[in-house]
Amino acid sequence: MLRADWLRYSLLAVVVLLLLLPLLLPLRIVLKSEQQPSAVAAMEIHSGDSQLPLRGHLAQLLDDDRRFTIDTIRQLPEESFTPLRDNVNVGYRNTVVWVRFALQRREDAAALWWLVVGPPFLDQVTLYSVDSDDSEGVDIAIARNWSERAVVYRTAIFPVELKAGQDTTFYLRLENATALFAEPVLWQADAYLNQSQRTALLHGGLFVTAVVIVLINLCYWIGLRRPLFLAYVTFVASVALLLFQWEGYLLWLVQPDRLFPAKMLQGLTQVVAVASFYAVFLALVEPQRRWPRLTLVLSSITWGFCGLMAVFMVLGWYAFAVPALWGYVLFLFIFDALLCVWLAAGRDRRAISYLLCFSVLLVSVGLRLVYLFGLLPDDFNFAHVFTAACLIHWVLLQIVMIDQINQTRREHEQAREEALTLSLSMERELEQRVAQRTEDLHRASETIERELQERVRLADDLEQTRQALEQALEQGK
């Protein structure tokens, strides 16, 4: 017993450390002794190159007042730009980022390249070339003018042609209403198309899995009417739809030429995902069994906060609503996990199931949130990590759903057996009562019959006595 308790508490301690890992990771930046580079060199392009991340060759300038134009930027000295060790990542900051980089093509290298600027949900990306006199640049916006794109795809793609033997300087103007980070990469067209097919295959597997899970659990909810299944359906559907929008597939399918409310839809989907996440926690763990008042207060705050954030999304206050929403998500993740750890220490089956299901997702989402707040350098492929974590999380949670179904069936079978046992017991008791009553009636009948026989005998004796008296009287006359 002591060994089992030691093992259980050790596992719970590991889970707590994993949950706190996203909060400890920013210390890496504080303790890191590396200095920002003093200057950036031009990216050299050689023969045989097919993919060239521009990380380490970028310099940025923040335009909080949005007062710079490309003509102003071209006149600024190179020292005005801050060299970057990684990609562009300013977190949730209401600003415009100007990015400067230079490319140098060798004689034997390819001349035509695709400059791919991710992630797909950047509001506006504009490319300018120093060698060009065009002050307009090439502009790509996610919510309009899709027919004007040189390459119609879910990410911003700029075809560039480089001259051999000389540096070509480019400027990128980046703007986003939410988290602003960007990863410019030079691609050969064939290599990028092959990589896009693999990524689309991964995302397609995720979306197909989500559809299957939604349909199966929707049928379970219709049949069993348990709130957990409806909460799980809403959670999976909202997360899948959110990824569908984050990865640019929704706009790629719609391809709007007029202004499309992409950010509002994305914001409302995030609100639904947060609300359904908390609904799954309530339905699966049922913390009201232990802390009814705390659960009532937390539920009131969560539902009210989600409703308020939905109003802010509709009003277009994304710069405030989105970081506030995901900051509250981080609080919910940690708070719910600690409540589950407390319950799991008492061998609560529901809390243990929650921790097993959400541990992978909690860590991946925590890493992504810390990254979106600009506290981590861009040295992880967070999109694919989160996608894989979603798949693992959904599989684990579906196992819990199946366990809940089996538990419901066991409860129904146990109730049926108890009802059958009670029915048999009542039947035996009724039979015993009937037999006892029959025996009592038989005894009463025998008693009555004996009494009747005794009365008949007494009546015969009285009749004989009467007749004897009558004869004696007649003889006496």
Side-chain angles (χ1 to χ4, degrees):
M1 182 63 67
L2 293 178
R3 181 176 297 179
D5 292 339
W6 179 84
L7 179 60
R8 185 175 76 256
Y9 287 116
S10 299
L11 291 175
L12 291 177
V14 172
V15 172
V16 171
L17 291 177
L18 288 176
L19 295 174
L20 295 178
L21 180 62
L23 300 179
L24 300 177
L25 281 175
L27 294 177
R28 174 182 176 222
I29 299 176
V30 178
L31 300 177
K32 208 170 185 180
S33 58
E34 296 181 13
Q35 301 293 328
Q36 292 282 59
S38 58
V40 291
M43 167 69 75
E44 294 186 1
I45 303 175
H46 303 274
S47 176
D49 292 336
S50 60
Q51 175 188 2
L52 295 172
L54 298 184
R55 179 190 299 113
H57 298 273
L58 305 174
Q60 73 175 15
L61 175 65
L62 302 183
D63 184 11
D64 294 336
D65 299 328
R66 293 170 171 78
R67 58 188 177 88
F68 292 140
T69 63
I70 184 59
D71 295 330
T72 309
I73 291 296
R74 284 170 174 166
Q75 296 174 3
L76 292 177
E78 184 177 348
E79 293 76 14
S80 301
F81 288 79
T82 303
L84 300 177
R85 184 190 310 109
D86 300 300
N87 288 314
V88 178
N89 188 359
V90 297
Y92 287 100
R93 180 171 176 175
N94 187 18
T95 186
V96 169
V97 178
W98 290 88
V99 181
R100 184 182 186 275
F101 62 93
L103 304 176
Q104 184 183 82
R105 181 176 74 88
R106 295 295 181 89
E107 292 288 346
D108 54 351
L112 186 61
W113 292 80
W114 280 2
L115 176 63
V116 181
V117 183
F121 59 82
L122 289 172
D123 287 343
Q124 189 169 3
V125 183
T126 308
L127 177 67
Y128 301 94
S129 174
V130 172
D131 298 336
S132 174
D133 295 332
D134 186 9
S135 61
E136 295 296 328
V138 181
D139 178 63
I140 291 181
I142 65 169
R144 64 180 186 274
N145 301 333
W146 272 68
S147 61
E148 299 178 2
R149 293 192 178 193
V151 180
V152 180
Y153 193 57
R154 59 188 181 89
T155 53
I157 300 178
F158 301 94
V160 294
E161 187 173 0
L162 304 176
K163 298 179 181 179
Q166 66 181 28
D167 292 354
T168 305
T169 303
F170 294 92
Y171 293 99
L172 279 173
R173 184 183 185 276
L174 307 174
E175 188 171 4
N176 196 32
T178 54
L180 205 167
F181 60 98
E183 182 182 7
V185 181
L186 273 180
W187 285 88
Q188 282 292 290
D190 294 340
Y192 182 72
L193 292 176
N194 293 332
Q195 190 268 352
S196 299
Q197 290 177 356
R198 293 192 296 268
T199 303
L201 183 62
L202 176 63
H203 291 156
L206 176 72
F207 299 140
V208 170
T209 304
V211 171
V212 172
I213 289 176
V214 166
L215 293 178
I216 291 176
N217 289 275
L218 193 59
C219 294
Y220 285 150
W221 175 74
I222 294 174
L224 300 176
R225 293 294 179 181
R226 296 192 61 177
L228 176 59
F229 294 101
L230 183 59
Y232 181 47
V233 165
T234 308
F235 175 68
V236 173
S238 59
V239 171
L241 182 59
L242 186 59
L243 287 173
F244 195 72
Q245 297 177 63
W246 270 348
E247 297 298 334
Y249 290 103
L250 178 62
L251 288 169
W252 188 29
L253 293 176
V254 177
Q255 296 187 11
D257 282 330
R258 297 180 179 179
L259 190 61
F260 185 78
K263 287 296 181 181
M264 185 183 71
L265 291 178
Q266 188 180 112
L268 292 176
T269 306
Q270 293 177 49
V271 173
V272 174
V274 173
S276 58
F277 162 74
Y278 182 70
V280 170
F281 168 73
L282 283 181
L284 180 59
V285 180
E286 295 183 352
Q288 61 273 16
R289 298 172 298 158
R290 184 73 176 270
W291 304 288
R293 292 184 179 180
L294 176 62
T295 304
L296 179 61
V297 172
L298 184 61
S299 299
S300 302
I301 294 175
T302 301
W303 303 135
F305 183 81
C306 290
L308 185 62
M309 291 301 103
V311 173
F312 286 171
M313 296 296 182
V314 174
L315 295 177
W317 299 350
Y318 312 117
F320 169 77
V322 174
L325 180 66
W326 288 107
Y328 189 75
V329 169
L330 188 58
F331 160 75
L332 273 183
F333 280 163
I334 302 301
F335 189 81
D336 294 351
L338 292 178
L339 289 182
C340 289
V341 168
W342 183 276
L343 292 173
R347 300 182 181 181
D348 187 277
R349 182 182 179 89
R350 292 175 175 270
I352 294 174
S353 299
Y354 180 88
L355 290 176
L356 291 177
C357 293
F358 279 87
S359 57
V360 177
L361 187 65
L362 289 176
V363 173
S364 63
V365 171
L367 291 172
R368 186 171 180 84
L369 288 176
V370 175
Y371 172 75
L372 292 180
F373 277 101
L375 299 177
L376 283 179
D378 184 24
D379 52 2
F380 297 98
N381 193 339
F382 285 96
H384 291 174
V385 168
F386 184 70
T387 301
C390 282
L391 286 172
I392 297 173
H393 160 69
W394 290 347
V395 171
L396 292 175
L397 196 52
Q398 188 59 47
I399 294 175
V400 174
M401 295 295 108
I402 295 174
D403 180 69
Q404 291 292 319
I405 295 172
N406 294 332
Q407 183 178 353
T408 302
R409 290 176 178 173
R410 289 192 297 268
E411 292 175 355
H412 289 171
E413 292 177 358
Q414 183 179 358
R416 184 176 60 183
E417 291 178 358
E418 291 177 354
L420 182 59
T421 303
L422 180 60
S423 176
L424 293 176
S425 176
M426 293 178 64
E427 183 179 355
R428 287 193 297 267
E429 184 179 356
L430 180 60
E431 290 178 354
Q432 292 175 358
R433 289 182 179 181
V434 169
Q436 183 66 32
R437 185 61 177 168
T438 302
E439 185 178 355
D440 293 343
L441 290 175
H442 182 67
R443 291 176 181 176
S445 177
E446 290 179 349
T447 302
I448 294 172
E449 186 177 355
R450 287 195 298 269
E451 290 178 353
L452 288 175
Q453 292 175 358
E454 184 66 22
R455 289 179 182 181
V456 171
R457 186 182 63 79
L458 290 175
D460 291 342
D461 291 344
L462 289 175
E463 181 65 24
Q464 291 177 3
T465 303
R466 185 183 64 79
Q467 291 178 358
L469 288 175
E470 287 180 352
Q471 291 178 358
L473 288 176
E474 288 179 357
Q475 293 177 359
K477 290 179 180 182

